[in-house]
Amino acid sequence: MKKEVIRIFLVLLTWELLLNGCEQKLHLDLNAQSPVLVVNSILMADNDSVRVRVTWTKNVYEQGDFPVEANASVKLYKNNRFVGACQYQKEGWYVIVHHVEATEVYRIEVDIPGRPLVWGETRVPAPLLNASIECDSLQERIINRWTDREEEKNYYWLSSTHSSLNGVPDTLHMELVSYLQTNSTLPDAFNRSFDFDEEIPAEYDYYLRVEDSGLSGKEIELSYKGRRSGYYHWRPDTGCYKSTRFILSLDENYDRYLKSSIVNDDYLSAMDSEPLFYAPLWTYSNIHGGTGLVASYSKYEDLFIQVFTKREE
């Protein structure tokens, strides 16, 4: 009898909490949140400089750009040895002239008087091994070949860019190809638009991601077709058309960040669909004492430029 009374009491208590919970108002003081330092730097193997941007987070209600920090001490280390201090340029950018070496570990430290040290670290991936990119114009395929390195974990991202639409006759405005179609089973399915069909290959948004699990030391071949969004009617009489096809080898930090940001963006774009209740996804950061990203990559690319001349009347 006593157990039955306790059971009934717990049921009534649960209903009381649920009903009262529906009537309670939540008061969120977003202005009480202290700004957090944001440090972003992407290192590319064989580049001759390192760029670091230092800003602050802002309140969700604030308009305009993120506040920049112009009075920080930004230092670069390679394999725990001091390389030098980055010099402030403008708009939160700090720059140091340094040749970025593959397979080395770089650390960026940002120090502001009166605040804890903020830092991030990355190991630059080795150059792609035996890489080549061919274009099969008859089948409109881009054929990518390379050999995976056994000595390190690799995260490969493949895509291509082209001169932007709307009749821009130059090579300064570049866009990623919107959809990549392939029959290969190697790409990660996280950004797959639709699955394999008997006649239509699988389609992916913007990138093909290949993790080297099970591919260690093997030769890899992956071909795809690029499909732009909308229609393409650009027929310039003068100017240039430029396209690049590339294979990126990302460090673990860049891979996690890029994948999480793409998944998050796709998720938030579908907020109007059911279920109505959702939780924003987490975007990866490897910054200690702040937020942002210090990451690196190696790149192999094939460049194509076509020059158009004015037709003679």
Side-chain angles (χ1 to χ4, degrees):
M1 182 65 180
K2 185 177 181 180
K3 291 183 178 179
E4 185 66 25
V5 171
I6 294 176
R7 187 179 297 109
I8 294 174
F9 172 76
L10 291 175
V11 171
L12 293 175
L13 178 61
T14 302
W15 274 105
E16 177 72 14
L17 291 174
L18 289 174
L19 292 174
N20 288 338
C22 294
E23 297 175 358
Q24 291 178 353
K25 295 182 180 179
L26 296 177
H27 298 280
L28 301 178
D29 186 4
L30 297 178
N31 293 315
Q33 299 295 324
S34 299
V36 176
L37 198 65
V38 182
V39 178
N40 285 309
S41 182
I42 306 297
L43 286 68
M44 177 179 170
D46 291 330
N47 263 13
D48 289 326
S49 64
V50 174
R51 290 164 52 86
V52 184
R53 191 157 196 253
V54 183
T55 60
W56 294 91
T57 57
K58 62 180 181 180
N59 186 279
V60 68
Y61 293 119
E62 293 180 19
Q63 301 296 320
D65 297 331
F66 288 92
V68 302
E69 177 56 61
N71 299 305
S73 173
V74 181
K75 298 178 181 179
L76 178 68
Y77 293 82
K78 184 179 74 172
N79 299 329
N80 291 323
R81 294 184 178 181
F82 179 65
V83 174
C86 302
Q87 302 301 312
Y88 184 74
Q89 301 294 312
K90 59 180 181 178
E91 299 178 351
W93 285 105
Y94 294 78
V95 180
I96 184 173
V97 176
H98 175 75
H99 183 76
V100 179
E101 299 181 50
T103 73
E104 306 298 338
V105 177
Y106 287 91
R107 184 174 74 254
I108 293 172
E109 295 185 354
V110 178
D111 189 19
I112 297 176
R115 292 182 175 271
L117 184 69
V118 177
W119 62 277
E121 191 172 81
T122 178
R123 182 183 183 276
V124 183
L128 281 106
L129 185 63
N130 302 327
S132 67
I133 300 177
E134 302 175 13
C135 183
D136 184 348
S137 56
L138 293 179
Q139 300 187 34
E140 299 180 347
R141 292 187 308 156
I142 298 173
I143 306 170
N144 304 267
R145 298 185 180 92
W146 71 98
T147 302
D148 181 72
R149 292 182 179 273
E150 288 186 280
E151 65 272 17
E152 62 180 26
K153 180 70 177 177
N154 294 282
Y155 307 91
Y156 303 109
W157 291 67
L158 291 73
S159 190
S160 59
T161 65
H162 59 89
S163 295
S164 60
L165 309 181
N166 303 320
V168 180
D170 59 44
T171 60
L172 298 179
H173 301 80
M174 303 296 291
E175 294 180 354
L176 279 171
V177 172
S178 302
Y179 307 103
L180 305 177
Q181 298 175 332
T182 180
N183 284 318
S184 174
T185 59
L186 294 177
D188 188 345
F190 83 98
N191 61 336
R192 187 184 293 167
S193 299
F194 60 85
D195 218 329
F196 294 92
D197 187 85
E198 292 183 358
E199 298 181 357
I200 303 176
E203 190 168 88
Y204 301 79
D205 298 333
Y206 297 107
Y207 289 101
L208 300 175
R209 177 186 182 271
V210 178
E211 188 174 333
D212 70 354
S213 300
L215 299 173
S216 181
K218 295 184 179 180
E219 295 182 1
I220 303 170
E221 179 175 319
L222 196 160
S223 63
Y224 66 84
K225 294 183 179 181
R227 184 171 71 84
R228 304 174 181 128
S229 60
Y231 296 94
Y232 190 71
H233 295 295
W234 180 35
R235 294 290 185 272
D237 289 331
T238 60
C240 295
Y241 170 78
K242 178 182 178 181
S243 65
T244 60
R245 302 102 179 190
F246 56 83
I247 309 171
L248 305 178
S249 179
L250 307 187
D251 80 323
E252 183 180 12
N253 300 312
Y254 205 175
D255 176 75
R256 288 188 178 185
Y257 168 78
L258 191 54
K259 184 173 180 178
S260 66
S261 61
I262 292 175
V263 170
N264 204 358
D265 183 66
D266 290 342
Y267 186 61
L268 294 178
S269 65
M271 281 172 49
D272 57 347
S273 61
E274 294 184 357
L276 299 179
F277 297 100
Y278 74 97
L281 301 180
W282 171 67
T283 300
Y284 178 81
S285 169
N286 69 328
I287 301 300
H288 299 261
T291 189
L293 182 73
V294 170
S296 58
Y297 68 100
S298 294
K299 181 178 184 180
Y300 180 84
E301 70 176 0
D302 173 67
L303 176 64
F304 173 77
I305 297 179
Q306 186 174 2
V307 179
F308 297 90
T309 57
K310 190 173 181 60
R311 300 172 182 173
E312 297 182 2
E313 300 295 338

